[in-house]
Structure formats: structure tokens, C-alpha cells
Amino acid sequence: MSVYTPAEVVEETGFTLDTLRYYEKIGLLERVERNAAGQRRFTEQDIGWLGMLRCLRDTGMPIAQMLRFAELTRAGDHTIPDRIKLLEEHDRRVEGQIDNLQERKRYIRNKISYYRSVL
């Protein structure tokens, strides 16, 4: 099994070391294994989980909901319907954000068009 140093995880995920420590502290990231010297060693599974957290965070999911998702995931497969519901709700919020950005984009393009017309 491959293991990764914190620096490699930072490079792979884009999270800072402080964020990794914080996520571990609050329970978003399960306890990370350590080597004999006490240095954190992350697994492929940790990297995969951090990828999911990156997606949720980048799409604006609040930490409280991320924690709920983590709790449901760790509870086992019987929580899959609840996870689907949580992700569907988040997906609807993301879709609303996209619609809002599309509207703003049209406004900006109209303004660009206007300014070009007066040149």
C-alpha cells in the first residue's frame, strides 16, 4: 500500500498543512496513521476522501454538512439513502449558483458589448 507524506498530500490535494490538521482535529479526516517518528502518513484512501472533501468545499458546502456527510459515510452502507439526499440538496444549491453565475456572465458580456459600441 502506498503512503504519502503531508507535503505530498498538500501537493496532490491543494489543501494546506493547516487545513489537513484542522480536518483531522474536527473529524472530517479520520485519524491519520503515523510512522515511528510520529510523522503523519496518508493512504490512498485518505487521498480519495480528501478529493471528495475538496469537491464539496470548492462547491460551497458548509463544514457542518461536510461533517454530516463524513458521519454518514463512516456509519456504513445503510446510510446511503441519507447521503444521496444530502448530495442531491447540495447539487441543487450548486445548480442555483451556476444559474446565478450564468446570469452575471450575460450581464458582463452585455456591458462589454455596450462599451465596444461606443468606441
Side-chain angles (χ1 to χ4, degrees), residues 20-112:
L20 294 174
R21 287 186 204 106
Y22 175 68
Y23 281 4
E24 187 178 6
K25 179 181 176 182
I26 66 170
L28 265 180
L29 184 60
E30 288 188 305
R31 218 66 183 112
V32 176
E33 296 294 321
R34 295 175 184 263
N35 65 13
Q39 299 164 325
R40 287 177 174 84
R41 292 295 178 251
F42 295 83
T43 65
E44 286 285 337
Q45 186 176 354
D46 295 326
I47 300 290
W49 178 249
L50 285 165
M52 182 68 193
L53 295 179
R54 166 58 70 195
C55 176
L56 297 176
R57 181 178 136 177
D58 286 353
T59 55
M61 181 179 277
I63 293 278
Q65 281 189 304
M66 291 170 65
L67 283 166
R68 177 69 180 141
F69 183 74
E71 175 185 289
L72 290 169
T73 301
R74 290 182 190 123
D77 287 348
H78 69 280
T79 67
I80 288 175
D82 292 325
R83 286 183 256 167
I84 290 170
K85 182 179 177 196
L86 188 146
L87 291 173
E88 285 175 340
E89 289 169 0
H90 182 63
D91 185 59
R92 282 190 293 279
R93 282 189 299 277
V94 169
E95 195 62 43
Q97 292 170 350
I98 291 169
D99 291 345
N100 186 22
L101 287 171
Q102 291 283 8
E103 184 180 317
R104 300 295 172 229
K105 180 180 176 181
R106 281 189 295 278
Y107 182 86
I108 290 167
R109 287 194 172 173
N110 286 338
K111 190 56 78 173
I112 291 168

